[in-house]
Structures are given as structure tokens and as C-alpha cells.
Amino acid sequence: MQLRELFPRRRLGGEELPETIEFMENGIRYRMNPRTGHKTGFYLDQRMSRRAVMEAAKTARNVLNCFCYTGGFGLAAVKGGADVVVGTHPHVLQPIE
């Protein structure tokens, strides 16, 4: 028996979560699905770290974003001016045009 079967999801109050949530951080707009996965993977306490990557990328040509999940650090590097950014996780967030 799986844990989900023992403890089914149920809403305690309020409205149902939307399919996607859009938000902006450091001039980058993100879209995420709060319903998938056990967490969003986008850690708000890393906001200043993503900003630091953006600043450091002003002089970077190539950036390797190891162990990325949301792609936030890679997108920050692109926004900062890096020429090429490679992420190692297949499920990264995409910037919203």
C-alpha cells in the first residue's frame, strides 16, 4: 500500500490551486505548476543567490547549471548576459515571452 492511499489529498479550506502560477523575480517571469511534484523546487530564499549569478554572468561566456531543477539559476545567467547556459535537468522552467 502506498502512502497516497493511506493519506489521500484533501483540501482543508480555501480555493483550489490553479493549474499554473506566474510570478516575476529579478526581471524574469516564471510559470510553474504547484500541483505537480512534492514541492515546486523554486526556493524563494535563493532570490539573492540568483541575483548574484545574474551579476556574475555579465562577464561569463559559458555557464554550466549543474543539478538544476527549475532552471532559475540558468535563466538568471542568461538575463545577466551569459552567451551559453547548459542545464543538466530535463524539467526546467521556461521563460514566458
Coordinates of all heavy atoms in Angstrom, one line a residue:
M1 N 0.8 -1.2 0.0 CA 0.0 0.0 0.0 C 0.9 1.2 0.0 O 1.9 1.3 0.7 CB -0.9 0.0 1.2 CG -1.8 1.2 1.3 SD -3.0 1.1 2.6 CE -4.3 0.2 1.8
Q2 N 0.6 2.2 -0.9 CA 1.3 3.4 -1.0 C 0.9 4.5 0.0 O -0.3 4.4 0.5 CB 1.3 4.0 -2.4 CG 2.0 3.1 -3.4 CD 2.1 3.8 -4.7 OE1 1.5 4.9 -4.9 NE2 2.7 3.2 -5.7
L3 N 1.7 5.4 0.4 CA 1.4 6.5 1.3 C 0.2 7.3 0.8 O -0.6 7.7 1.6 CB 2.6 7.4 1.5 CG 2.6 8.3 2.7 CD1 2.4 7.5 4.0 CD2 3.9 9.1 2.7
R4 N 0.1 7.5 -0.5 CA -1.0 8.2 -1.0 C -2.4 7.6 -0.7 O -3.4 8.2 -0.5 CB -0.9 8.4 -2.5 CG 0.1 9.3 -2.9 CD 0.1 9.5 -4.4 NE 1.3 10.2 -4.8 CZ 1.9 10.1 -6.0 NH1 1.4 9.3 -6.9 NH2 2.9 10.8 -6.3
E5 N -2.4 6.3 -0.7 CA -3.6 5.5 -0.4 C -4.0 5.6 1.1 O -5.1 5.7 1.5 CB -3.4 4.1 -0.8 CG -3.3 3.9 -2.2 CD -2.8 2.5 -2.6 OE1 -2.2 1.8 -1.8 OE2 -3.2 2.0 -3.7
L6 N -2.9 5.7 2.0 CA -3.2 5.9 3.4 C -3.7 7.3 3.7 O -4.5 7.5 4.6 CB -1.9 5.5 4.2 CG -1.5 4.1 4.2 CD1 -0.1 4.0 4.8 CD2 -2.5 3.2 4.9
F7 N -3.1 8.2 3.1 CA -3.4 9.6 3.3 C -3.8 10.4 2.0 O -3.0 11.1 1.5 CB -2.2 10.3 4.0 CG -1.7 9.7 5.3 CD1 -0.6 8.9 5.3 CD2 -2.4 9.9 6.4 CE1 -0.2 8.3 6.5 CE2 -2.0 9.3 7.6 CZ -0.9 8.5 7.6
P8 N -5.0 10.2 1.6 CA -5.4 10.9 0.3 C -5.4 12.4 0.5 O -5.6 12.9 1.6 CB -6.8 10.3 0.1 CG -7.3 9.9 1.4 CD -6.1 9.4 2.2
R9 N -5.1 13.1 -0.6 CA -5.2 14.5 -0.5 C -6.6 15.0 -0.3 O -7.5 14.5 -0.9 CB -4.7 15.1 -1.9 CG -3.2 15.0 -2.1 CD -2.9 15.7 -3.3 NE -1.5 15.6 -3.6 CZ -0.9 16.0 -4.7 NH1 -1.6 16.7 -5.6 NH2 0.4 15.8 -4.9
R10 N -6.7 16.0 0.5 CA -8.0 16.7 0.6 C -7.7 18.2 1.0 O -6.8 18.5 1.7 CB -8.9 16.0 1.6 CG -8.4 16.1 3.0 CD -9.4 15.5 3.9 NE -9.3 16.2 5.2 CZ -9.6 15.7 6.3 NH1 -10.0 14.5 6.4 NH2 -9.4 16.5 7.4
R11 N -8.6 19.0 0.5 CA -8.4 20.4 0.7 C -9.1 20.7 2.1 O -10.3 20.3 2.3 CB -9.1 21.2 -0.4 CG -8.8 22.6 -0.4 CD -9.3 23.3 -1.7 NE -10.5 22.7 -2.2 CZ -11.6 23.3 -2.5 NH1 -11.6 24.6 -2.5 NH2 -12.6 22.7 -3.0
L12 N -8.4 21.4 2.9 CA -9.0 21.8 4.2 C -9.8 23.1 4.2 O -10.6 23.3 5.1 CB -7.8 21.9 5.3 CG -7.0 20.7 5.5 CD1 -5.9 20.9 6.4 CD2 -7.9 19.5 6.0
G13 N -9.6 23.9 3.2 CA -10.3 25.1 3.1 C -9.7 26.0 2.0 O -8.7 25.6 1.4
G14 N -10.4 27.1 1.7 CA -9.9 28.0 0.7 C -10.3 27.4 -0.7 O -11.0 26.5 -0.9
E15 N -9.7 28.1 -1.7 CA -10.0 27.7 -3.1 C -9.0 26.7 -3.6 O -7.9 26.6 -3.1 CB -9.9 29.0 -4.0 CG -11.0 30.0 -3.6 CD -10.9 31.3 -4.5 OE1 -10.2 31.2 -5.6 OE2 -11.5 32.3 -4.1
E16 N -9.4 26.0 -4.6 CA -8.5 25.0 -5.3 C -7.3 25.8 -5.9 O -7.4 26.9 -6.4 CB -9.2 24.3 -6.4 CG -8.5 23.1 -7.0 CD -8.3 22.0 -6.0 OE1 -9.2 21.7 -5.2 OE2 -7.3 21.3 -6.1
L17 N -6.1 25.2 -5.9 CA -4.9 25.8 -6.5 C -5.1 25.8 -8.0 O -5.7 24.9 -8.6 CB -3.7 25.0 -6.2 CG -3.1 25.1 -4.8 CD1 -2.0 24.1 -4.6 CD2 -2.6 26.5 -4.5
P18 N -4.7 26.9 -8.7 CA -4.7 26.9 -10.1 C -3.8 26.0 -10.8 O -2.8 25.5 -10.1 CB -4.3 28.4 -10.5 CG -3.5 28.8 -9.3 CD -4.0 28.1 -8.1
E19 N -4.0 25.6 -12.0 CA -3.1 24.7 -12.8 C -1.6 25.3 -12.8 O -0.7 24.6 -12.7 CB -3.6 24.5 -14.2 CG -4.7 23.5 -14.3 CD -4.3 22.1 -14.1 OE1 -3.2 21.7 -14.6 OE2 -5.0 21.4 -13.4
T20 N -1.5 26.6 -13.1 CA -0.2 27.2 -13.1 C -0.2 28.6 -12.4 O -1.3 29.2 -12.2 CB 0.2 27.5 -14.6 OG1 -0.8 28.4 -15.2 CG2 0.4 26.3 -15.4
I21 N 0.9 28.9 -11.9 CA 1.1 30.2 -11.2 C 2.2 30.9 -12.0 O 3.3 30.3 -12.3 CB 1.5 30.0 -9.7 CG1 0.4 29.3 -9.0 CG2 1.9 31.3 -9.1 CD1 0.8 29.0 -7.6
E22 N 2.0 32.2 -12.2 CA 3.1 33.0 -12.9 C 3.6 34.0 -11.8 O 2.8 34.6 -11.1 CB 2.5 33.7 -14.1 CG 2.1 32.8 -15.2 CD 1.7 33.6 -16.4 OE1 1.8 34.8 -16.5 OE2 1.1 32.9 -17.3
F23 N 4.9 34.2 -11.9 CA 5.5 35.2 -10.9 C 6.7 35.8 -11.6 O 7.3 35.2 -12.5 CB 5.8 34.6 -9.6 CG 6.7 33.4 -9.6 CD1 8.0 33.5 -9.4 CD2 6.2 32.1 -9.9 CE1 8.9 32.4 -9.4 CE2 7.0 31.0 -9.9 CZ 8.4 31.2 -9.7
M24 N 7.2 36.9 -11.1 CA 8.3 37.6 -11.6 C 9.4 37.7 -10.5 O 9.0 38.0 -9.3 CB 8.0 38.9 -12.2 CG 9.2 39.7 -12.6 SD 9.2 40.5 -14.2 CE 7.8 40.2 -15.0
E25 N 10.6 37.5 -10.8 CA 11.7 37.7 -9.9 C 12.9 38.2 -10.7 O 13.3 37.6 -11.7 CB 12.1 36.4 -9.2 CG 13.3 36.5 -8.3 CD 13.8 35.2 -7.8 OE1 14.7 34.6 -8.5 OE2 13.3 34.7 -6.8
N26 N 13.5 39.3 -10.2 CA 14.7 39.9 -10.8 C 14.5 40.1 -12.3 O 15.4 39.9 -13.1 CB 15.9 39.0 -10.6 CG 16.3 39.0 -9.1 OD1 16.2 40.0 -8.4 ND2 16.7 37.8 -8.7
G27 N 13.3 40.5 -12.7 CA 13.1 40.8 -14.1 C 12.8 39.6 -15.0 O 12.7 39.7 -16.2
I28 N 12.7 38.4 -14.4 CA 12.4 37.2 -15.2 C 11.0 36.7 -14.7 O 10.8 36.5 -13.6 CB 13.5 36.1 -14.9 CG1 14.9 36.6 -15.2 CG2 13.2 34.8 -15.6 CD1 16.0 35.7 -14.7
R29 N 10.2 36.4 -15.7 CA 8.9 35.9 -15.4 C 8.9 34.3 -15.6 O 9.4 33.8 -16.5 CB 7.9 36.4 -16.4 CG 6.4 36.0 -16.1 CD 5.4 36.6 -17.0 NE 5.6 38.0 -17.1 CZ 4.7 38.8 -17.7 NH1 3.7 38.4 -18.2 NH2 5.0 40.1 -17.7
Y30 N 8.4 33.7 -14.5 CA 8.3 32.2 -14.5 C 6.9 31.8 -14.4 O 6.0 32.5 -14.0 CB 9.0 31.7 -13.2 CG 10.5 32.1 -13.1 CD1 10.9 33.2 -12.4 CD2 11.4 31.2 -13.6 CE1 12.2 33.5 -12.3 CE2 12.8 31.5 -13.5 CZ 13.2 32.7 -12.8 OH 14.5 33.0 -12.7
R31 N 6.7 30.5 -14.9 CA 5.4 29.8 -14.8 C 5.7 28.5 -14.2 O 6.6 27.8 -14.6 CB 4.8 29.7 -16.2 CG 3.4 29.0 -16.1 CD 2.9 28.8 -17.5 NE 2.7 30.0 -18.2 CZ 3.0 30.2 -19.5 NH1 3.4 29.2 -20.2 NH2 2.8 31.3 -20.1
M32 N 4.9 28.1 -13.2 CA 5.1 26.8 -12.6 C 3.7 26.1 -12.3 O 2.7 26.8 -12.2 CB 5.9 26.9 -11.3 CG 5.4 27.9 -10.3 SD 5.7 27.5 -8.6 CE 4.7 26.1 -8.3
N33 N 3.7 24.8 -12.1 CA 2.5 24.1 -11.7 C 2.7 23.7 -10.3 O 3.5 22.8 -10.0 CB 2.4 22.9 -12.7 CG 1.1 22.1 -12.4 OD1 0.5 22.2 -11.3 ND2 0.6 21.4 -13.4
P34 N 1.9 24.3 -9.4 CA 2.0 23.9 -8.0 C 1.4 22.6 -7.6 O 1.6 22.1 -6.5 CB 1.2 25.0 -7.3 CG 0.2 25.4 -8.3 CD 0.9 25.3 -9.6
R35 N 0.8 21.9 -8.5 CA 0.2 20.6 -8.3 C 1.1 19.4 -8.5 O 0.8 18.3 -8.1 CB -1.1 20.5 -9.1 CG -2.2 21.5 -8.8 CD -3.3 21.3 -9.7 NE -4.3 22.3 -9.5 CZ -5.5 22.2 -10.0 NH1 -5.9 21.2 -10.8 NH2 -6.4 23.2 -9.8
T36 N 2.1 19.6 -9.3 CA 3.0 18.5 -9.7 C 4.2 18.4 -8.7 O 4.7 19.4 -8.3 CB 3.5 18.6 -11.1 OG1 4.2 19.9 -11.3 CG2 2.3 18.6 -12.1
G37 N 4.6 17.2 -8.5 CA 5.8 17.0 -7.6 C 5.4 17.3 -6.2 O 4.3 17.7 -5.8
H38 N 6.3 16.9 -5.3 CA 6.1 17.1 -3.9 C 6.4 18.5 -3.4 O 6.1 18.9 -2.3 CB 6.9 16.0 -3.1 CG 8.3 16.2 -3.1 ND1 9.1 15.9 -4.2 CD2 9.2 16.6 -2.2 CE1 10.3 16.2 -4.0 NE2 10.5 16.6 -2.8
K39 N 7.0 19.3 -4.3 CA 7.3 20.7 -4.0 C 7.6 21.4 -5.3 O 7.9 20.7 -6.3 CB 8.5 20.9 -3.0 CG 9.7 20.2 -3.4 CD 10.7 20.2 -2.3 CE 11.8 19.2 -2.6 NZ 12.7 19.0 -1.5
T40 N 7.6 22.7 -5.3 CA 7.8 23.4 -6.5 C 9.3 23.4 -7.0 O 9.5 23.5 -8.2 CB 7.4 24.9 -6.4 OG1 8.3 25.5 -5.4 CG2 6.0 25.0 -5.9
G41 N 10.2 23.3 -6.1 CA 11.6 23.3 -6.4 C 12.1 24.7 -6.6 O 13.3 24.9 -6.7
F42 N 11.3 25.7 -6.6 CA 11.7 27.1 -6.7 C 11.8 27.7 -5.3 O 10.8 28.1 -4.8 CB 10.8 27.9 -7.6 CG 11.4 29.1 -8.1 CD1 12.1 29.1 -9.3 CD2 11.3 30.3 -7.4 CE1 12.7 30.3 -9.8 CE2 11.9 31.5 -7.9 CZ 12.6 31.4 -9.1
Y43 N 13.0 27.7 -4.8 CA 13.2 28.1 -3.4 C 13.3 29.7 -3.3 O 14.2 30.2 -3.9 CB 14.4 27.5 -2.8 CG 14.2 26.0 -2.7 CD1 14.8 25.1 -3.6 CD2 13.4 25.4 -1.7 CE1 14.6 23.8 -3.6 CE2 13.2 24.0 -1.7 CZ 13.8 23.2 -2.6 OH 13.6 21.9 -2.5
L44 N 12.3 30.3 -2.7 CA 12.3 31.7 -2.6 C 13.5 32.3 -1.9 O 13.9 33.4 -2.1 CB 11.0 32.2 -2.0 CG 9.7 31.8 -2.9 CD1 8.5 32.2 -2.1 CD2 9.8 32.4 -4.3
D45 N 14.0 31.6 -0.9 CA 15.2 32.1 -0.2 C 16.4 32.1 -1.0 O 17.5 32.7 -0.5 CB 15.4 31.2 1.1 CG 15.8 29.8 0.8 OD1 15.6 29.3 -0.3 OD2 16.4 29.1 1.7
Q46 N 16.4 31.7 -2.2 CA 17.6 31.7 -3.1 C 17.5 32.9 -4.1 O 18.3 33.1 -5.0 CB 17.7 30.5 -3.9 CG 18.1 29.3 -3.0 CD 19.4 29.5 -2.4 OE1 20.4 29.8 -3.0 NE2 19.5 29.3 -1.1
R47 N 16.6 33.8 -3.8 CA 16.4 35.0 -4.7 C 17.7 35.8 -4.8 O 18.1 36.2 -5.9 CB 15.3 35.9 -4.1 CG 15.0 37.1 -4.8 CD 14.0 38.0 -4.2 NE 13.3 38.8 -5.1 CZ 12.3 39.5 -4.9 NH1 11.8 39.6 -3.7 NH2 11.7 40.2 -5.8
M48 N 18.4 36.1 -3.7 CA 19.6 36.9 -3.8 C 20.7 36.1 -4.4 O 21.6 36.7 -5.1 CB 20.0 37.3 -2.4 CG 19.0 38.3 -1.7 SD 18.6 39.7 -2.7 CE 20.1 40.6 -2.8
S49 N 20.7 34.8 -4.3 CA 21.7 33.9 -4.9 C 21.5 34.0 -6.5 O 22.5 34.1 -7.2 CB 21.7 32.5 -4.5 OG 21.9 32.4 -3.1
R50 N 20.3 33.9 -6.9 CA 20.0 34.0 -8.4 C 20.4 35.4 -8.9 O 21.0 35.6 -10.0 CB 18.6 33.7 -8.7 CG 18.2 32.2 -8.6 CD 16.8 31.9 -9.0 NE 15.8 32.4 -8.0 CZ 15.4 31.6 -6.9 NH1 15.9 30.4 -6.7 NH2 14.5 32.1 -6.1
R51 N 20.2 36.4 -8.0 CA 20.6 37.8 -8.4 C 22.2 37.9 -8.5 O 22.7 38.5 -9.4 CB 20.1 38.8 -7.4 CG 20.5 40.2 -7.6 CD 19.7 40.7 -8.8 NE 19.9 42.1 -9.0 CZ 19.6 42.8 -10.1 NH1 19.0 42.2 -11.0 NH2 19.8 44.0 -10.2
A52 N 22.9 37.2 -7.6 CA 24.3 37.2 -7.7 C 24.8 36.5 -8.9 O 25.8 36.9 -9.5 CB 24.9 36.5 -6.4
V53 N 24.2 35.4 -9.3 CA 24.5 34.7 -10.6 C 24.3 35.6 -11.8 O 25.1 35.7 -12.7 CB 23.7 33.4 -10.7 CG1 23.8 32.9 -12.1 CG2 24.2 32.4 -9.7
M54 N 23.2 36.4 -11.7 CA 22.9 37.3 -12.8 C 24.0 38.4 -12.9 O 24.5 38.7 -14.0 CB 21.6 38.0 -12.5 CG 21.1 38.9 -13.6 SD 19.5 39.7 -13.3 CE 18.4 38.4 -13.0
E55 N 24.5 38.9 -11.8 CA 25.6 39.8 -11.8 C 26.9 39.2 -12.3 O 27.6 39.8 -13.1 CB 25.8 40.4 -10.4 CG 24.6 41.3 -10.0 CD 24.4 42.6 -10.8 OE1 25.4 43.2 -11.2 OE2 23.3 42.9 -11.1
A56 N 27.2 38.0 -11.8 CA 28.4 37.4 -12.2 C 28.4 37.0 -13.7 O 29.5 37.0 -14.3 CB 28.6 36.1 -11.4
A57 N 27.3 36.8 -14.3 CA 27.2 36.4 -15.7 C 27.4 37.5 -16.6 O 27.6 37.3 -17.8 CB 25.8 35.8 -15.9
K58 N 27.6 38.7 -16.1 CA 27.9 39.9 -17.0 C 29.2 39.6 -17.7 O 29.4 40.2 -18.8 CB 27.9 41.2 -16.2 CG 26.5 41.6 -15.8 CD 26.6 42.9 -15.0 CE 25.2 43.3 -14.6 NZ 25.2 44.5 -13.8
T59 N 30.1 38.9 -17.1 CA 31.4 38.6 -17.7 C 31.6 37.2 -18.1 O 32.7 36.8 -18.5 CB 32.5 39.0 -16.7 OG1 32.4 38.3 -15.5 CG2 32.5 40.5 -16.4
A60 N 30.6 36.4 -18.0 CA 30.7 34.9 -18.3 C 30.3 34.7 -19.8 O 29.4 35.3 -20.3 CB 29.7 34.1 -17.4
R61 N 31.0 33.8 -20.4 CA 30.6 33.4 -21.7 C 29.8 32.1 -21.7 O 28.8 32.0 -22.4 CB 31.9 33.2 -22.6 CG 32.7 34.5 -22.8 CD 33.7 34.3 -23.8 NE 33.2 33.9 -25.1 CZ 32.8 34.8 -26.0 NH1 32.8 36.1 -25.7 NH2 32.4 34.4 -27.2
N62 N 30.2 31.1 -20.9 CA 29.6 29.8 -20.8 C 29.3 29.5 -19.3 O 30.1 29.7 -18.5 CB 30.5 28.7 -21.4 CG 30.8 29.0 -22.8 OD1 29.9 29.1 -23.6 ND2 32.1 29.0 -23.1
V63 N 28.1 29.0 -19.1 CA 27.6 28.7 -17.7 C 27.1 27.3 -17.7 O 26.2 26.9 -18.6 CB 26.6 29.6 -17.2 CG1 26.0 29.2 -15.8 CG2 27.1 31.1 -17.1
L64 N 27.5 26.4 -16.8 CA 27.0 25.1 -16.6 C 26.2 25.1 -15.3 O 26.7 25.3 -14.3 CB 28.1 24.0 -16.5 CG 27.7 22.6 -16.2 CD1 26.7 22.1 -17.3 CD2 28.9 21.7 -16.1
N65 N 24.9 24.9 -15.5 CA 24.0 24.9 -14.3 C 23.8 23.4 -13.9 O 22.8 22.8 -14.3 CB 22.7 25.5 -14.7 CG 21.7 25.7 -13.6 OD1 22.1 25.5 -12.4 ND2 20.5 26.2 -13.8
C66 N 24.7 22.9 -13.0 CA 24.6 21.5 -12.6 C 23.5 21.3 -11.6 O 23.2 22.1 -10.8 CB 25.9 21.1 -11.9 SG 27.3 21.0 -13.0
F67 N 22.8 20.2 -11.7 CA 21.7 19.8 -10.8 C 20.6 20.7 -10.8 O 19.9 20.9 -9.7 CB 22.3 19.5 -9.4 CG 23.6 18.7 -9.4 CD1 24.8 19.3 -9.1 CD2 23.5 17.4 -9.7 CE1 26.0 18.6 -9.1 CE2 24.7 16.6 -9.7 CZ 25.9 17.2 -9.4
C68 N 20.3 21.4 -11.9 CA 19.2 22.3 -11.9 C 17.9 21.6 -11.9 O 17.8 20.5 -12.4 CB 19.3 23.3 -13.1 SG 19.1 22.5 -14.7
Y69 N 16.9 22.2 -11.3 CA 15.5 21.6 -11.3 C 14.6 22.5 -12.0 O 13.9 22.2 -12.9 CB 15.1 21.3 -9.9 CG 13.7 20.6 -9.8 CD1 13.5 19.3 -10.3 CD2 12.7 21.3 -9.3 CE1 12.3 18.7 -10.3 CE2 11.4 20.7 -9.3 CZ 11.2 19.4 -9.8 OH 10.0 18.9 -9.7
T70 N 14.6 23.8 -11.5 CA 13.6 24.8 -12.1 C 14.3 25.6 -13.2 O 13.6 26.2 -14.0 CB 13.1 25.7 -11.0 OG1 14.2 26.5 -10.5 CG2 12.4 25.0 -9.9
G71 N 15.6 25.6 -13.2 CA 16.3 26.4 -14.2 C 16.5 27.9 -13.8 O 16.9 28.7 -14.6
G72 N 16.1 28.2 -12.6 CA 16.2 29.6 -12.2 C 17.5 30.2 -12.2 O 17.7 31.4 -12.7
F73 N 18.6 29.5 -11.9 CA 19.9 30.0 -11.9 C 20.4 30.1 -13.4 O 21.1 31.1 -13.7 CB 20.9 29.1 -11.1 CG 20.7 29.3 -9.6 CD1 19.9 28.4 -8.9 CD2 21.3 30.3 -8.9 CE1 19.8 28.5 -7.5 CE2 21.2 30.5 -7.6 CZ 20.4 29.6 -6.9
G74 N 20.0 29.2 -14.2 CA 20.4 29.3 -15.6 C 19.7 30.5 -16.3 O 20.4 31.2 -17.1
L75 N 18.5 30.7 -16.0 CA 17.8 31.8 -16.6 C 18.3 33.1 -16.1 O 18.4 34.1 -16.8 CB 16.3 31.8 -16.3 CG 15.5 30.6 -17.0 CD1 14.1 30.6 -16.5 CD2 15.5 30.8 -18.5
A76 N 18.8 33.2 -14.8 CA 19.4 34.3 -14.2 C 20.7 34.6 -15.0 O 21.1 35.8 -15.2 CB 19.7 34.2 -12.7
A77 N 21.5 33.6 -15.3 CA 22.7 33.7 -16.0 C 22.5 34.3 -17.4 O 23.2 35.2 -17.9 CB 23.5 32.4 -16.1
V78 N 21.4 33.8 -18.1 CA 21.1 34.3 -19.4 C 20.7 35.8 -19.3 O 21.1 36.7 -20.1 CB 19.9 33.5 -20.0 CG1 19.4 34.2 -21.3 CG2 20.4 32.1 -20.4
K79 N 19.8 36.1 -18.3 CA 19.4 37.5 -18.1 C 20.6 38.4 -17.8 O 20.6 39.6 -18.3 CB 18.4 37.6 -17.0 CG 17.9 38.9 -16.6 CD 16.8 39.4 -17.6 CE 16.2 40.7 -17.1 NZ 15.2 41.2 -18.0
G80 N 21.6 37.9 -17.1 CA 22.8 38.6 -16.8 C 23.7 38.9 -18.0 O 24.6 39.7 -17.9
G81 N 23.6 38.1 -19.0 CA 24.4 38.3 -20.2 C 25.3 37.1 -20.6 O 26.1 37.2 -21.6
A82 N 25.2 35.9 -20.0 CA 26.0 34.8 -20.4 C 25.6 34.4 -21.9 O 24.4 34.5 -22.2 CB 25.7 33.6 -19.5
D83 N 26.5 34.0 -22.6 CA 26.3 33.6 -24.0 C 25.6 32.3 -24.2 O 24.7 32.1 -25.0 CB 27.6 33.6 -24.8 CG 28.2 35.0 -24.9 OD1 27.5 36.0 -25.0 OD2 29.5 35.1 -25.0
V84 N 26.1 31.3 -23.4 CA 25.6 29.9 -23.4 C 25.4 29.4 -22.0 O 26.2 29.6 -21.2 CB 26.6 29.0 -24.2 CG1 26.1 27.6 -24.1 CG2 26.9 29.5 -25.6
V85 N 24.2 28.9 -21.8 CA 23.9 28.2 -20.5 C 23.4 26.8 -20.8 O 22.5 26.6 -21.6 CB 22.8 29.0 -19.7 CG1 22.5 28.3 -18.4 CG2 23.3 30.5 -19.4
V86 N 24.0 25.9 -20.1 CA 23.6 24.5 -20.2 C 23.1 24.0 -18.8 O 23.8 24.1 -17.8 CB 24.8 23.6 -20.7 CG1 24.3 22.1 -20.7 CG2 25.2 24.0 -22.0
G87 N 21.9 23.4 -18.8 CA 21.3 22.9 -17.6 C 21.3 21.4 -17.7 O 21.2 20.8 -18.8
T88 N 21.4 20.7 -16.5 CA 21.5 19.2 -16.5 C 20.2 18.5 -16.1 O 20.2 17.3 -16.0 CB 22.6 18.8 -15.5 OG1 22.3 19.2 -14.2 CG2 24.0 19.3 -16.0
H89 N 19.1 19.2 -15.9 CA 17.9 18.6 -15.6 C 16.9 18.8 -16.7 O 16.7 19.9 -17.2 CB 17.3 19.2 -14.3 CG 16.2 18.3 -13.7 ND1 15.0 18.2 -14.2 CD2 16.3 17.5 -12.6 CE1 14.3 17.4 -13.4 NE2 15.0 16.9 -12.5
P90 N 16.1 17.7 -17.1 CA 15.2 17.8 -18.3 C 14.0 18.6 -18.0 O 13.3 19.0 -18.9 CB 14.9 16.4 -18.6 CG 15.1 15.7 -17.3 CD 16.2 16.4 -16.6
H91 N 13.6 18.9 -16.7 CA 12.3 19.6 -16.4 C 12.6 20.9 -15.9 O 12.4 21.2 -14.7 CB 11.6 18.7 -15.4 CG 11.3 17.3 -15.9 ND1 10.5 17.0 -16.9 CD2 11.8 16.2 -15.4 CE1 10.4 15.7 -17.1 NE2 11.3 15.2 -16.2
V92 N 13.1 21.8 -16.7 CA 13.4 23.2 -16.3 C 12.2 24.1 -16.7 O 11.5 23.9 -17.6 CB 14.7 23.7 -16.8 CG1 15.9 22.9 -16.3 CG2 14.7 23.8 -18.3
L93 N 12.1 25.2 -15.9 CA 11.1 26.2 -16.2 C 11.5 27.0 -17.5 O 12.7 27.2 -17.7 CB 10.9 27.2 -15.1 CG 10.3 26.7 -13.8 CD1 10.4 27.8 -12.7 CD2 8.8 26.4 -14.1
Q94 N 10.6 27.4 -18.2 CA 10.9 28.2 -19.4 C 10.4 29.6 -19.2 O 9.4 29.9 -18.5 CB 10.0 27.7 -20.6 CG 10.4 26.2 -21.0 CD 11.8 26.1 -21.5 OE1 12.3 26.9 -22.2 NE2 12.5 25.0 -21.0
P95 N 11.2 30.6 -19.7 CA 10.8 32.0 -19.6 C 9.5 32.2 -20.4 O 9.3 31.6 -21.4 CB 12.0 32.8 -20.1 CG 12.7 31.8 -21.0 CD 12.4 30.4 -20.5
I96 N 8.7 33.1 -19.9 CA 7.4 33.4 -20.6 C 7.7 34.6 -21.5 O 8.2 35.6 -21.1 CB 6.3 33.7 -19.6 CG1 6.1 32.5 -18.7 CG2 5.0 34.1 -20.3 CD1 5.2 32.8 -17.5
E97 N 7.5 34.4 -22.8 CA 7.7 35.5 -23.7 C 6.6 36.6 -23.6 O 5.5 36.3 -23.4 CB 7.7 35.0 -25.2 CG 8.8 33.9 -25.3 CD 10.2 34.5 -25.2 OE1 10.4 35.7 -25.6 OE2 11.1 33.8 -24.8

